[in-house]
Amino acid sequence: MDYLNDLNPEQKKAVEHTEGPLMILAGAGSGKTRVLTYRIAHLINLGVDPFKIMALTFTNKAAKEMKERITRLIGSNESMNVWMGTFHSVFAKILRSEADKLGYPSNFTIYDTDDSKSLIKSIIKELNLDDKVYKPNLVLGRISSAKNNLLSAEEYNKNTSIQSEDQQSKKPLIGKIYSLYVKRCFRAGAMDFDDLLYQTNILLRDFPEVLYKYQDRFEFILVDEFQDTNFSQYTIVKKICARRENICVVGDDAQSIYAFRGANIQNILNFKRDYPDVKTYKLEQNYRSTKTIVQAANSLISKNKNQFKKEVWTQNDSGKNIALFKTTTDNQEGWLVANQIFDTKINQQSFNKDFAILYRTNAQSRAIEEALRKKNIAYRIYGGLSFYKRKEIKDVLAYFRLSLNPKDDEAIKRVINYPKRGIGKTSIEKIALTANEKSKSIWEVISTESLQEVAINNGAKKKIEDFVHIIELFVAQTKTMQASDVGHQIASSSGVLKDLYTDKTPEGLSRHENIQELLNGLKDFEEQKKAQGEELVLLESYMQEISLLTDNIEQDNQELEDSVSLMTIHAAKGLEFPYVFIVGLEENLFPSQLSIYDRNQLEEERRLFYVALTRAEKQLFLSYADTRYRWGKLVVNTPSRFIEEIDPKYIDEKFSKAQTRSNTTEFKTQTPLFGKGYQKRKLTKVAPSQPSSIHTDSTEQIYVGSSVKHQKFGKGKVVHIEGQPHNKKATVYFEGAAGKRQLLLKYAKLEVLT
């Protein structure tokens, strides 16, 4: 048993404790996977039949890695006989053996999400319901939540509280859809992913002989990431291990961040109540991060009340303090991050793959991506699509393209029936065929008398004519309106915003946020152009800029192995990187606006930030922006409360120097950025590197009467200043033809002459 010498004392105790309930509280970077694999290997070496061991994980990758490690430890392929895998894969295996008892064939089909959505769409159509109200995503989410809480369709329809919720949301027939969905799945001999858990619970509840069979088979049960289990998963595990109670759970309540998926942190917090004889071991030694990062994370998570107390520590070096950046806008934040990566790579001889940029919402990737592309830094979006590759963004950009060039056939085909207008695929195909026969564009057919020659019904023709009128209005507006105004008009009048707004699923909310961010970027682009002297900034100008950002660079970046990783913090769980940037640390963004009035939700947001902090090995960079555009309006931000909750001694007093295109001037502020805990800190701020960055040295010295110089308009005199400090506008009379101009100071780069 020499392999036990590889473990630290606490890990070794956890591995050697084989009988009875066991809870292993594993702090971030403390080697929980090692303990799980060594424990299974140890059980096999003690003579336990691997067929009698069940190990449940949350990813196939984790199960595969654990099997490989066990094989190396014990020197045989016995690890292949352990019932190890995800909850869904292990319970699907059981269901295949027992399916006949539930009335299913042993070769039942497993519906994926697309299959389930397709079936729900069919049911909605058959019931003559409005699919804009009964969105398939939303309905499926509601059904999924019911199954994970072990509510049958019958119980769902009898539950007065649930029925009241559906009535209030004006979707009273979700229960009926649920009932029909269950019947159709059963008739088709199919189970969806949630059924793999739900039906296993039914099997163990209704067939005692089956429950006894698996209680007898599995002598030892191990569960990874126990804090992420939902009610359905926990119930199955509790039933199967009830006979011997040889259950070992590994987890960290401080990393419970999936409540929105149904994960219940109470499963781990109440484990001792369910198993009074439980033995608990705490893995508190961190092998991943520097002392500074570990202690900073400890100081943050200590603010949570609902938790197991533990003190994570490390023998690693102290490392550098956390660097904190304050920028004026989110675009400047993107430039600052890109430049910091560039500088760190040179100074530390590191690679792109050593860096990760974490954000709270997918929409935040836009500004980061643009800065990285302009800096020629390869990146990849981990677990998602690049901003301009996302469907909702491509949909709105197709509307923009069509408004500038109605003859764009691909744009027409993409949006003519999105949002749904009742223009079917067959009608579109017939129009395209007519266009080809006449050597015309699709627009030239649908916007002229040629439409009458197409063999489609009058109802479809009327809907197409309505679509043409909308596009004609957009075409006219693009020639006379400011880019941001026409962009918002297109997103709104096309119906895209309404379509996404009514989808209250997490995916729907994310898509809606992405459209908001696209319009924010459009407004920011417009302000930059105005500061450079353009009075009317047209949508065409923006689309020319975007076309340069959305070419093949994105796809190339995705394929490069040496790439900076961009991802949401939820996607980062379980990963680690030498250098980590956490951006957008502002109130109402992180923590999110939805969480700040509820302690449980706020504590989950704090746990999410804890997870972000503990991804870093060598150095952490935090940043926030004073302002962000929200629906075309510049919103003033306050720093996230989470920054203040980190012990100030772990945060650096200075920002790293960032090279800019326009200048490399540093400027200092003696104003504390935060509240009481930061009064003694004097931070040095660096001008973010962005082509349109303000000439910060001069801006605060500009007053009415100041003589100034603009790079395009020349010399002039300031006659009026208005607006808040973060968004000041100056009216300047320039010499010569330029005359009177109103400029946004943060972009104007005015040089003070006197």
Side-chain angles (χ1 to χ4, degrees):
M1 296 188 183
D2 291 343
Y3 58 87
L4 293 179
N5 295 329
D6 298 338
L7 305 172
N8 68 36
E10 202 69 7
Q11 290 174 334
K12 186 176 180 181
K13 290 177 186 175
V15 167
E16 291 181 322
H17 183 93
T18 57
E19 299 293 326
L22 172 66
M23 180 165 60
I24 302 171
L25 296 175
S30 63
K32 71 175 181 61
T33 303
R34 165 176 286 222
V35 171
L36 270 177
T37 53
Y38 275 63
R39 180 175 166 80
I40 294 171
H42 188 57
L43 287 171
I44 294 172
N45 276 336
L46 290 176
V48 177
D49 186 345
F51 283 100
K52 291 184 173 292
I53 301 172
M54 176 191 285
L56 300 169
T57 66
F58 273 84
T59 66
N60 289 312
K61 180 183 177 184
K64 182 174 180 290
E65 289 178 354
M66 285 171 62
K67 283 189 176 183
E68 291 172 351
R69 289 196 197 184
I70 295 168
T71 298
R72 289 195 295 269
L73 279 173
I74 64 178
S76 74
N77 287 326
E78 281 294 295
S79 65
M80 296 297 106
N81 298 326
V82 175
W83 279 56
M84 181 183 295
T86 64
F87 283 85
H88 292 87
S89 65
V90 170
F91 298 148
K93 190 175 177 181
I94 291 175
L95 285 171
R96 294 233 183 258
S97 298
E98 314 291 345
D100 61 306
K101 296 178 178 62
L102 297 170
Y104 284 87
S106 60
N107 62 341
F108 61 82
T109 300
I110 298 176
Y111 278 175
D112 63 17
T113 303
D114 288 340
D115 295 325
S116 296
K117 285 182 187 175
S118 178
L119 176 53
I120 286 172
K121 286 178 184 176
S122 299
I123 294 171
I124 290 170
K125 187 174 182 179
E126 290 167 16
L127 294 176
N128 293 315
L129 299 175
D130 186 350
D131 60 3
K132 293 178 182 176
V133 176
Y134 289 89
K135 286 182 171 289
N137 273 345
L138 188 147
V139 174
L140 182 58
R142 195 78 170 152
I143 292 172
S144 175
S145 178
K147 287 184 179 180
N148 284 326
N149 284 288
L150 303 184
L151 282 175
S152 67
E154 184 179 2
E155 291 166 329
Y156 185 100
N157 283 297
K158 287 181 179 178
N159 188 302
T160 54
S161 176
I162 290 175
Q163 292 306 303
S164 176
E165 287 178 16
D166 287 348
Q167 289 282 354
Q168 289 176 8
S169 66
K170 299 181 180 179
K171 301 174 187 66
L173 295 180
I174 287 181
K176 185 172 184 178
I177 298 171
Y178 184 8
S179 297
L180 289 172
Y181 175 75
V182 169
K183 290 176 182 176
R184 297 288 176 81
C185 285
F186 184 77
R187 190 174 74 190
M191 295 188 196
D192 62 20
F193 281 137
D194 295 313
D195 279 328
L196 299 178
L197 302 178
Y198 177 79
Q199 295 294 348
T200 301
N201 270 293
I202 299 302
L203 180 70
L204 300 179
R205 181 194 71 188
D206 295 350
F207 299 92
E209 71 280 9
V210 174
L211 174 60
Y212 182 83
K213 172 183 174 181
Y214 289 101
Q215 286 178 337
D216 184 61
R217 171 171 294 179
F218 299 116
E219 294 182 6
F220 293 89
I221 297 175
L222 300 91
V223 184
D224 191 16
E225 303 286 10
F226 190 68
Q227 76 280 351
D228 293 335
T229 55
N230 61 29
F231 178 67
S232 183
Q233 291 163 330
Y234 179 62
T235 303
I236 295 171
V237 171
K238 189 175 181 182
K239 285 178 179 176
I240 293 178
C241 77
R243 184 176 171 192
R244 295 184 177 88
E245 292 194 347
N246 285 335
I247 179 172
C248 168
V249 300
V250 181
D252 182 6
D253 57 298
Q255 297 186 67
S256 178
I257 59 173
Y258 293 118
F260 69 97
R261 291 184 190 168
N264 187 353
I265 190 174
Q266 296 305 319
N267 289 346
I268 192 167
L269 293 178
N270 294 334
F271 193 76
K272 188 173 181 63
R273 182 195 65 189
D274 294 337
Y275 298 95
D277 297 331
V278 65
K279 181 67 177 177
T280 301
Y281 292 100
K282 296 180 181 180
L283 307 184
E284 297 173 305
Q285 183 175 359
N286 179 292
Y287 292 93
R288 174 188 300 154
S289 308
T290 64
K291 282 188 175 72
T292 293
I293 293 170
V294 168
Q295 291 165 359
N298 283 344
S299 69
L300 169 89
I301 202 63
S302 67
K303 308 300 187 296
N304 269 12
K305 293 187 176 181
N306 200 16
Q307 64 169 313
F308 288 116
K309 292 293 182 182
K310 56 183 175 296
E311 191 70 22
V312 180
W313 59 277
T314 184
Q315 291 181 340
N316 294 339
D317 294 337
S318 294
K320 294 182 178 179
N321 270 10
I322 298 170
L324 178 63
F325 297 92
K326 172 186 176 183
T327 64
T328 306
T329 69
D330 54 342
N331 276 359
Q332 291 180 355
E333 182 180 49
W335 274 94
L336 187 145
V337 170
N339 279 286
Q340 186 63 51
I341 290 174
F342 186 85
D343 289 349
T344 305
K345 281 171 61 180
I346 294 173
N347 296 333
Q348 302 298 327
Q349 301 296 301
S350 52
F351 301 94
N352 288 329
K353 64 183 179 182
D354 296 331
F355 297 85
I357 304 171
L358 310 182
Y359 34 77
R360 181 64 181 83
T361 66
N362 275 305
Q364 291 170 256
S365 77
R366 178 196 63 82
I368 304 295
E369 288 186 62
E370 291 180 8
L372 292 173
R373 281 199 292 272
K374 289 175 180 175
K375 199 74 177 174
N376 291 320
I377 297 174
Y379 69 90
R380 65 189 180 104
I381 305 292
Y382 189 96
L385 291 172
S386 178
F387 185 82
Y388 290 104
K389 292 286 186 182
R390 295 167 193 166
K391 178 187 179 299
E392 61 276 10
I393 299 302
K394 294 177 77 172
D395 288 337
V396 174
L397 290 179
Y399 270 109
F400 287 2
R401 285 164 46 196
L402 198 54
S403 302
L404 296 169
N405 174 23
K407 292 183 179 181
D408 186 335
D409 281 359
E410 293 307 308
I412 283 187
K413 286 189 283 187
R414 184 176 186 94
V415 301
I416 192 171
N417 197 41
Y418 177 73
K420 290 183 179 179
R421 299 183 174 88
I423 304 172
K425 184 178 179 182
T426 302
S427 295
I428 298 169
E429 288 173 349
K430 288 180 178 179
I431 292 168
L433 181 61
T434 301
N436 290 335
E437 290 173 349
K438 292 179 174 290
S439 297
K440 293 183 176 180
S441 67
I442 291 176
W443 177 258
E444 288 171 319
V445 171
I446 66 176
S447 64
T448 66
E449 290 300 319
S450 296
L451 178 61
Q452 303 309 316
E453 301 174 24
V454 182
I456 57 178
N457 63 52
N458 290 333
K461 287 179 181 176
K462 176 64 170 64
K463 291 166 184 172
I464 291 168
E465 288 170 354
D466 291 342
F467 172 73
V468 168
H469 292 152
I470 292 173
I471 300 303
E472 286 176 337
L473 175 63
F474 295 162
V475 170
Q477 290 173 333
T478 60
K479 298 173 183 176
T480 59
M481 292 172 63
Q482 296 285 3
S484 63
D485 293 333
V486 73
H488 195 284
Q489 181 71 17
I490 290 171
S492 179
S493 297
S494 65
V496 172
L497 281 179
K498 183 179 179 182
D499 183 67
L500 296 177
Y501 182 75
T502 56
D503 185 350
K504 299 301 184 183
T505 64
E507 295 80 10
L509 293 172
S510 178
R511 287 191 286 269
H512 193 260
E513 288 174 351
N514 287 339
I515 299 300
Q516 174 183 330
E517 183 57 29
L518 178 68
L519 298 177
N520 293 344
L522 178 53
K523 180 66 176 179
D524 195 69
F525 172 84
E526 179 186 300
E527 292 293 347
Q528 292 179 37
K529 289 294 183 182
K530 284 183 178 179
Q532 294 166 11
E534 291 187 28
E535 294 181 356
L536 177 61
V537 182
L538 297 176
L539 184 65
E540 181 180 6
S541 177
Y542 172 75
M543 289 303 290
Q544 288 174 358
E545 174 88 1
I546 289 300
S547 66
L548 299 176
L549 294 174
T550 57
D551 59 12
N552 293 329
I553 295 175
E554 295 173 14
Q555 186 59 40
D556 292 343
N557 280 342
Q558 299 290 340
E559 295 172 358
L560 287 175
E561 183 177 340
D562 185 28
S563 300
V564 175
S565 295
L566 275 67
M567 67 191 82
T568 63
I569 301 168
H570 282 100
K573 189 167 180 290
L575 303 177
E576 55 190 42
F577 302 88
Y579 305 97
V580 171
F581 292 81
I582 308 173
V583 299
L585 283 168
E586 300 138 27
E587 286 290 298
N588 297 323
L589 180 54
F590 196 13
S592 74
Q593 190 171 9
L594 298 174
S595 68
I596 58 178
Y597 300 109
D598 181 274
R599 176 176 295 281
N600 289 333
Q601 292 182 32
L602 182 60
E603 291 204 348
E604 173 143 338
E605 289 284 294
R606 189 177 287 112
R607 292 194 294 270
L608 188 60
F609 187 39
Y610 175 83
V611 167
L613 294 174
T614 54
R615 297 312 93 197
E617 298 171 353
K618 292 183 179 179
Q619 192 168 10
L620 259 172
F621 304 86
L622 311 180
S623 66
Y624 74 96
D626 273 342
T627 60
R628 284 182 194 270
Y629 277 106
R630 300 281 174 90
W631 298 114
K633 294 183 179 180
L634 203 61
V635 177
V636 182
N637 302 314
T638 55
S640 169
R641 69 188 71 190
F642 295 154
I643 301 176
E644 275 196 84
E645 291 177 355
I646 297 175
D647 190 322
K649 67 184 178 184
Y650 301 120
I651 295 183
D652 207 340
E653 295 182 354
K654 292 184 179 181
F655 294 114
S656 300
K657 185 175 179 181
Q659 298 295 324
T660 72
R661 290 187 180 184
S662 56
N663 63 77
T664 56
T665 307
E666 292 185 326
F667 59 100
K668 297 184 179 181
T669 175
Q670 302 301 320
T671 306
L673 295 183
F674 309 109
K676 190 174 179 181
Y678 284 80
Q679 293 299 318
K680 296 180 180 180
R681 182 174 301 152
K682 296 180 180 180
L683 299 174
T684 301
K685 186 168 64 175
V686 177
S689 58
Q690 179 173 319
S692 59
S693 62
I694 61 175
H695 193 315
T696 316
D697 288 334
S698 305
T699 301
E700 296 175 0
Q701 303 171 22
I702 295 175
Y703 306 97
V704 173
S706 296
S707 292
V708 295
K709 184 178 180 180
H710 187 275
Q711 60 184 13
K712 179 177 179 181
F713 304 132
K715 296 179 180 179
K717 185 175 287 289
V718 178
V719 297
H720 181 66
I721 292 179
E722 60 182 272
Q724 298 299 316
H726 68 279
N727 199 25
K728 283 185 180 179
K729 292 182 180 179
T731 302
V732 185
Y733 272 103
F734 290 99
E735 299 172 359
K740 179 182 175 183
R741 299 277 176 172
Q742 191 175 61
L743 304 173
L744 197 63
L745 286 181
K746 67 179 182 179
Y747 292 125
K749 293 187 287 188
L750 293 175
E751 179 183 353
V752 178
L753 300 178
T754 59

